[in-house]
Amino acid sequence: MGNVSIHNIKKSYGKVEVLHGIDIDIADGEFVVIVGPSGCGKSTLLRMVAGLEAITSGEISIDDRIVNEVEPKDRNIAMVFQNYALYPHMSVFDNMAYGLKLQKIAKAEIRARVEEVAKTLQLGEFLKRKPRQLSGGQRQRVAMGRAIVREPSVFLFDEPLSNLDAKLRVQMRLEIKKLQRRLGVTSLYVTHDQIEAMTMADRLIVLNDGIAEQIGTPMELYDEPASQFVGGFIGSPSMNFIAVELKNETIHIGNTTIPCPDHLLYTGPAILGVRPENFKLPDSGFREMNLNIDVVEKLGADTLVHGKISGCVEDIVVKLPGNVEIENQSALRIAVDLSKLLLFDPGTGRRVGRN
């Protein structure tokens, strides 16, 4: 068993409340990612699961055992940190074996476990080296290996890839996900990188200022964001938001009026949410409008067009195929897929009008 239950967890520092009641049940073997901007409470929540931060109120259970008052070493968890936290004077072997030695496990079993994990992580030839003799990616593998050899119920990852370059981050996130699937260990992973979150998670917790804005699968959050914050945070480029007016079964977008699709039941001012890829070049089944172009970015497979819809003040991004030729144009006729439109309340930012 490796389930984790977090029920109404709150955290305060004096009179300042930084977590406002988080609830989630994590199944055995599930990979859950906590994502959000800096300062939203991600690492604080992870450290509370680890026992490194005291719980102000609420309850955390690991393996169906309440661990609020249990010491970190007795929670059967292993944590991988952002800065690797390796002992510089120890070899790779000794770094990976250290926790097992503290548990007074037999030397033969320690060597067998370390060598097996080192082989899995392609570290076998580096076991005698010191951390300073390794690359950033290799050090991160050592930190992961130290966690794996302990055979914990739960892995906790605190932004483990943020010190790596972009190419290595892509490689390492794939390796972590493959390794987690092979081992089947429940994992809770913190990151501020929404692409990392989308590609790795079975489910996401999107935190915003200590509140869980939404919990769900990556595609649930992408297609059905519960709030403007989630819609804007998940997805790259992020969702476009445009102030509109809905009346008489139509949507007024700047100088353009389009019919209100059947799935939107709303009247009055609203914020329209549209993903960049849900704009198209004019075609049947779509509604056209005029886009005044500011910048065109050619990315190879895709072209990103930045501009404003005629009559609107908001900058938007339109994602088109890479082979479109529009660099010398000042305006472009675009169409929008009505079936993909979302509405948000201008005051609360919560999604509204869904049928």
Side-chain angles (χ1 to χ4, degrees), residues 125-179:
E125 62 184 289
F126 305 115
L127 287 175
K128 294 182 179 180
R129 294 190 186 182
K130 300 290 178 61
R132 66 177 179 274
Q133 298 172 299
L134 305 176
S135 67
Q138 290 165 345
R139 292 179 195 176
Q140 193 55 274
R141 285 194 184 94
V142 175
M144 289 171 56
R146 181 179 54 192
I148 294 167
V149 295
R150 294 179 54 194
E151 299 178 355
S153 293
V154 181
F155 285 145
L156 304 177
F157 296 90
D158 191 6
E159 304 210 41
L161 307 183
S162 58
N163 288 338
L164 305 180
D165 63 53
K167 184 177 180 180
L168 190 54
R169 286 182 71 162
V170 173
Q171 178 186 339
M172 286 299 299
R173 77 184 186 218
L174 293 175
E175 290 187 12
I176 289 174
K177 185 61 178 176
K178 286 192 293 186
L179 188 64

Side-chain angles (χ1 to χ4, degrees), residues 336-350:
V336 63
D337 185 347
L338 298 180
S339 69
K340 302 294 186 180
L341 300 182
L342 299 173
L343 293 178
F344 301 91
D345 185 286
T348 66
R350 304 301 294 180

Side-chain angles (χ1 to χ4, degrees), residues 120-121 175-185:
T120 299
L121 295 174
E175 290 187 12
I176 289 174
K177 185 61 178 176
K178 286 192 293 186
L179 188 64
Q180 189 270 340
R181 284 181 175 172
R182 189 185 316 145
L183 298 173
V185 179

